[in-house]
Amino acid sequence: MIRERTRIIQHQHLTPEIYSLWLSAPKIAQHSKPGQFLQLQISETFDPFLARPFSIADVQTDKVRIIYRIRGKGTNMLKTKKVGEYLSVLGPLGKAIEKPKYKKITLIAGGIGIAPLLYLAKCLKDKYEINLFYGTRTKKDLILLDEFKLLCRKISLATEDGTKGHRGLVTDLLDSNKLSQTTVFTCGPKLMLKKVQNLLWQNSQIKVFGFLEEMLGCGCGLCFTCAVRKKESSEDYYHICTDGPVFDLSSIEL
């Protein structure tokens, strides 16, 4: 892991509540892989005290990108940061995603969970066939579609209010019988991951990996606050920051 003083080089709205932030971070960018995350120290004071974790959404040579939704004090402070300002960043953290077993890749995203799947898709597009299933509350929450159109063979959309694509949940679109010999990567609300887990786990020709989104303390395995129970044991746990944040969903209890 690397501690780097990074400069904001682009900060813009994607929707009224969702922002895209590019940081000049040559050292971190050089070592970043899909599936990893960053810890941003949003203030130079102790308010807020803890750094905030963000998935790596993209990397270009000497810069890294995060995408975030306004949720609380930390992200409300982050949205006020201007181009040219500096942020202390720790990363890349977590384990990188291993080479997928199957040549067909299915991405399943819910809401802001689309963010880490972008960098993954960019890294896989030359050797794999990629399809995306993406669901949000409403059409206005759909982001990054122009970028994914360049990476995916097919994009299937769902909105809860029916303003774009299927009316309902993105998991309504899934059919395990059509996903044989497929590696699935999914990111979104825990309830969505659990439903994906329940829908697909019985098919032995589908490998399903989930990005777990949790509030982390230290981000590097020292505080032991980010735990997820192992499926084979009621007393053993993985730590999201060091064992993840991407897990084979057949190995954990959600």
Side-chain angles (χ1 to χ4, degrees):
M1 71 184 74
I2 301 164
R3 172 76 66 181
E4 190 167 7
R5 189 168 183 258
T6 67
R7 183 173 58 87
I8 298 172
I9 54 179
Q10 187 183 82
H11 199 184
Q12 64 186 91
H13 290 274
L14 297 181
T15 76
E17 293 184 345
I18 301 175
Y19 288 74
S20 170
L21 175 68
W22 280 98
L23 298 165
S24 176
K27 294 178 182 178
I28 290 176
Q30 180 182 353
H31 297 281
S32 294
K33 304 294 183 184
Q36 295 184 295
F37 68 98
L38 308 174
Q39 288 276 94
L40 272 65
Q41 193 69 48
I42 295 170
S43 171
E44 294 183 357
T45 70
F46 290 110
D47 185 24
F49 178 71
L50 294 175
R52 296 300 196 263
F54 297 95
S55 298
I56 297 173
D58 204 354
V59 175
Q60 292 183 5
T61 311
D62 61 352
K63 58 186 180 179
V64 294
R65 183 187 191 186
I66 66 166
I67 294 169
Y68 67 95
R69 182 190 293 275
I70 303 302
R71 284 180 173 166
K73 184 174 185 178
T75 46
N76 268 291
M77 292 177 67
L78 184 58
K79 76 175 183 180
T80 68
K81 302 295 182 180
K82 308 296 184 183
V83 170
E85 292 189 52
Y86 288 83
L87 293 170
S88 177
V89 178
L90 182 67
L93 301 169
K95 288 186 175 180
I97 290 171
E98 297 180 0
K99 182 180 178 181
K101 178 180 179 180
Y102 299 116
K103 288 298 182 180
K104 291 183 179 180
I105 304 294
T106 296
L107 307 178
I108 306 169
I112 197 70
I114 193 74
L117 300 182
L118 178 63
Y119 185 35
L120 175 62
K122 286 190 172 185
C123 291
L124 297 180
K125 66 179 178 63
D126 292 334
K127 295 183 178 180
Y128 296 85
E129 177 188 300
I130 303 173
N131 293 294
L132 171 65
F133 293 85
Y134 181 22
T136 59
R137 291 173 297 180
T138 184
K139 177 181 177 180
K140 294 180 180 180
D141 292 333
L142 294 167
I143 59 172
L144 305 176
L145 288 180
D146 288 342
E147 294 179 69
F148 272 100
K149 286 175 182 177
L150 303 175
L151 306 171
C152 298
R153 185 182 68 86
K154 183 180 179 182
I155 297 176
S156 301
L157 302 175
T159 51
E160 292 179 29
D161 64 359
T163 49
K164 185 75 172 179
H166 168 75
R167 183 186 183 96
L169 302 176
V170 67
T171 48
D172 298 341
L173 303 175
L174 302 180
D175 184 347
S176 63
N177 294 321
K178 296 181 180 180
L179 295 177
S180 290
Q181 295 190 330
T182 302
T183 303
V184 175
F185 293 97
T186 181
C187 185
K190 186 174 287 187
L191 286 176
M192 187 199 83
L193 266 63
K194 190 172 182 64
K195 192 163 187 178
V196 170
Q197 184 186 50
N198 291 337
L199 284 170
L200 303 181
W201 76 271
Q202 291 180 320
N203 190 328
S204 62
Q205 291 189 316
I206 303 175
K207 294 292 292 182
V208 186
F209 296 89
F211 290 68
L212 299 194
E213 297 180 313
E214 299 286 345
M215 176 55 74
L216 309 179
C218 66
C220 53
L222 298 177
C223 66
F224 299 108
T225 58
C226 59
V228 58
R229 193 188 303 273
K230 294 183 180 180
K231 204 171 191 98
E232 67 271 16
S233 173
S234 61
E235 298 181 354
D236 292 331
Y237 294 82
Y238 292 113
H239 295 286
I240 294 171
C241 64
T242 53
D243 298 313
V246 183
F247 291 92
D248 182 336
L249 291 188
S250 67
S251 70
I252 61 173
E253 293 285 352
L254 290 173

